[in-house]
Amino acid sequence: MQIQDLPYPDPGVPDARSGPRFLVWLGRNQLGGQAKALAWGLLHFLSVSGLPFCVGFAVQAVVDRSGARLGTAGGLIALCGVGIALGDSMLHRAAVTNWITAAARVQQLLARRTALLGSALTRRVAAGEIVAVSTGDVEKIGWFVEAVSRFTAAAVTIVVVCVALVVYQPALGVVVAVGVPVLALAVLPLLPRATRRADFQREKAGHATELASDTVAGLRVLRGIGGEELFLDRYRRASQEVRHAAVRSARMWALISAIQVLLPGLLLIVVVWHGVNLARDGRITVGELVTVYSAVMLLTYPLRHFEEIAMAYSFSRPSAKRAARVLSLERATDGEGSREAVVPAGDLYDPATGLLAPSGRLTAVVCGDPDAAGMLAERLGGHAADSSELPSALVGGVPLDELPLDSARSAVLVQDKDPVLLSGTLRELLDVPASGDVSPEEALAAAQCGDVLDALAQGSLDADDPMDARITERGRSLSGGQRQRLALARSLITDPEVLVLDEPTSAVDSHTEARIADGLRSLRQGRTTVVFTSSPLLLDHADRVVLVHEGEVAAVGVHRELLHSEPRYRAVVTRETEDEAAAHELGRLQELEELEEIEETA
């Protein structure tokens, strides 16, 4: 896989049982790239390690006054130089490719899992953690996958050099062969502590990211209630905890780096001291001493990769653990379905509550509990919750959880009470899968977006057409009502068989809401529409109003009828207090008594 071939046609099925297993799975899926990086790494490291032998050969040729051998040594040094340059360039290319392709694979897997789980994802994993996994964690996972091949090449090179030194000069080679493994393994006792500190740092950083994400998302509300400074103080404390954890982690890695510098220096001193004594005794030549000395000097370069792989694993392990946790989440129902891929049509029915939305009608649902309303709306769209104990909603008698995911999404579209607007132009925002029967102009008009288009045109100096005006991230440059109306227009343009809207006008004024109610009823004529609302303006335009109380349908009728006959409905819609309800009920009883008296008199 090359960078230009991304994204993957199929990123595969990850082994998400644990963080280490996920890292192994990633490496196994990039064996070709790992083999290339290993080959170029071996060329690079072996060329670097071959220089000491060439230099020692040249020094001995000078001592022996042999011009032929000196020329041969020069040719070998030039050959090593070419190998170093070529190997280093291609190793870097292969390593970066491995890094990017591994990160891209993880991002694709996360995107697919997010699309599969839908709104259930944020109920099971904090939004800030998802952001942390898809940004910083992806980079660290890619770093480890990329570092494995370079570490392997460095380890093979060290073994080859040690064996070569033992063969070339046994007296000094044995010292190096014994000392180098000690250098490589000396930091192992410190790695568990360094790993724990790195894990703690990542945990604190993840908490700070979650807090920052939540604060930014609710900044407008926080400013309105005066809670901005309170949350900023919380973030300051969280960021200071991250800083302290990072300093403690850096101290441990600095100690490991110091040991990686100190021990090779001590080994070099031992080799030089022992080599000088051997040279004085005539047991080795000057060229052999220079060769072994230079080899030990250059071995510190591949030895550095032992520290890097330890750091890469320590930082990537918690990242891989978080990624595996997200990727291991499953839908409560099978996304493949057990029925053929058809889009059903007909009445929408929820067996759990008894809610029925007749086909082609506008049904309003009143629910006193906003959280229960949101869960019911998701269930009507086939967005199963964590538990599958409740039966699935049916469209035309077909259970949504038995349909393939694409068919279920095509049959029912759910717009929740807090829809997200992606950054980009308005034209791109409305470029969604649609039947083609509803134009963008009709959808925008029905959602009463005229003032929104004017605001976008005024705010975009380089866009003559409001459709080309850019919308900032999550639509933060727009008011809550403007965001709601654009989201409603996006839902209307898709023209689904069944449209479920959860509080689509909670942030707009009453005049605009009345016009939206007219536009919604007109545009959705002949289509099944379910609106969760307690607004009298919307309820009065509904063909059928359903009151859901304590998880069951309590009353069905039209708005004006229910307003007079159902106290629970009236309490939710008019925000009637208990005293007002009691007074209203008393007045109704008095009216009945008066009617009875009139009848008796007559």
Side-chain angles (χ1 to χ4, degrees), residues 34-50 80 83-84 86-88 90-92 94 148-161 301-302 305:
Q34 296 285 3
K36 289 181 181 178
L38 176 60
W40 292 117
L42 286 173
L43 175 63
H44 173 63
F45 288 124
L46 290 176
S47 297
V48 170
S49 302
C80 286
I84 292 172
L86 180 62
D88 189 28
M90 298 306 295
L91 171 61
H92 180 73
V148 168
S149 54
R150 288 189 291 111
F151 164 73
T152 305
V156 172
T157 300
I158 289 173
V159 172
V160 171
V161 170
Y301 173 49
H305 289 75

Side-chain angles (χ1 to χ4, degrees), residues 347-357 375-376 378-382 388-402 546 548 550-553:
D347 297 344
L348 175 64
Y349 178 68
D350 176 41
T353 59
L355 172 63
L356 174 66
M375 294 178 64
L376 176 55
E378 292 178 358
R379 192 164 67 250
L380 290 178
S388 58
E389 296 177 358
L390 296 176
S392 169
L394 291 80
V395 176
V398 178
L400 288 176
D401 61 4
E402 295 182 7
V546 180
V548 177
E550 295 183 352
E552 294 182 353
V553 171

Side-chain angles (χ1 to χ4, degrees), residues 336 339-343 403-404 406-407:
E336 297 297 327
R339 292 176 178 258
E340 60 178 338
V342 296
V343 179
L403 289 172
D406 292 343
S407 299

Side-chain angles (χ1 to χ4, degrees), residues 69-94:
R69 282 190 292 165
L70 185 60
T72 302
L76 292 175
I77 291 175
L79 185 62
C80 286
V82 172
I84 292 172
L86 180 62
D88 189 28
S89 300
M90 298 306 295
L91 171 61
H92 180 73
R93 179 186 178 91

Side-chain angles (χ1 to χ4, degrees), residues 464-512:
D464 297 330
D465 187 349
M467 297 294 290
D468 295 325
R470 294 198 64 81
I471 299 173
T472 57
E473 181 186 4
R474 298 179 69 91
R476 290 198 174 97
S477 60
L478 303 173
S479 68
Q482 290 174 328
R483 288 198 300 270
Q484 260 192 348
R485 283 177 281 162
L486 284 180
L488 177 58
R490 180 179 58 186
S491 299
L492 292 175
I493 201 174
T494 61
D495 190 34
E497 186 67 33
V498 179
L499 176 61
V500 179
L501 303 172
D502 188 5
E503 294 290 353
T505 59
S506 59
V508 302
D509 60 81
S510 57
H511 297 289
T512 305

Side-chain angles (χ1 to χ4, degrees), residues 451-463:
D451 63 317
V452 184
L453 297 179
D454 294 338
L456 289 173
Q458 292 174 4
S460 301
L461 301 178
D462 56 343

Side-chain angles (χ1 to χ4, degrees), residues 63-74:
V63 172
D64 297 338
R65 299 181 180 276
S66 172
R69 282 190 292 165
L70 185 60
T72 302

